Amino acid sequence: MSDVEKGGFIAKVIGPKRRWREYKARVKQLPPNYRTAVEAIERYLLHFGPMTADNSASLFEDVADLFERAAADRTPIREIVGEDPVEFVEELIRNYSKGGYVDRERARLTQAIESVERAEENR
């Protein structure tokens, strides 16, 4: 993969570099326990999160907002993520992946099956 292709891929995953750097600077300012939690969420999102720049950038920024407020209020991490951190992040992904590739493919699959069903009914 060329540097140009890598740059395009990175921008697609994390959004514009400026927004990414600003997000990373915000995370760096968090208290250690909140920073560790956000970095773990970030790792998960980079593997399984929405793959559009706008959605990803907004999602990362909103995670930073959430944890900044929680740190200011001294909210325990477990109160933020609940009993199942994976479900917490999966819910974030569901909220931010509307209109992304996966949703479009799900809609196509559903439409194709419905079309076949209608055709079978009309026989």
Side-chain angles (χ1 to χ4, degrees), residues 32-111:
N33 56 333
Y34 293 90
R35 184 175 54 244
T36 299
V38 170
E39 288 170 347
I41 290 169
E42 176 185 310
R43 269 190 312 277
Y44 189 91
L45 288 170
L46 287 172
H47 288 285
F48 303 109
M51 292 299 285
T52 63
D54 288 337
N55 286 349
S56 293
S58 295
L59 174 53
F60 287 118
E61 291 164 346
D62 289 348
V63 167
D65 288 343
L66 174 64
F67 278 83
E68 286 169 341
R69 284 191 305 268
D73 296 340
R74 295 190 173 132
T75 303
I77 302 295
R78 196 50 91 167
E79 282 187 34
I80 302 165
V81 301
E83 289 301 314
D84 186 352
V86 172
E87 181 56 34
F88 169 79
V89 178
E90 289 294 325
E91 185 62 30
L92 286 173
I93 292 169
R94 282 190 288 276
N95 289 332
Y96 285 85
S97 64
K98 306 293 186 258
Y101 172 77
V102 172
D103 284 340
R104 285 192 304 271
E105 290 306 314
R106 286 177 179 154
R108 279 187 190 151
L109 172 60
T110 300
Q111 290 168 355

Side-chain angles (χ1 to χ4, degrees), residues 5-21:
E5 291 171 325
K6 286 179 189 172
F9 175 75
I10 290 170
K12 186 175 183 178
V13 173
I14 64 171
K17 286 182 184 180
R18 177 189 54 79
R19 286 177 76 180
W20 180 254
R21 283 191 213 110

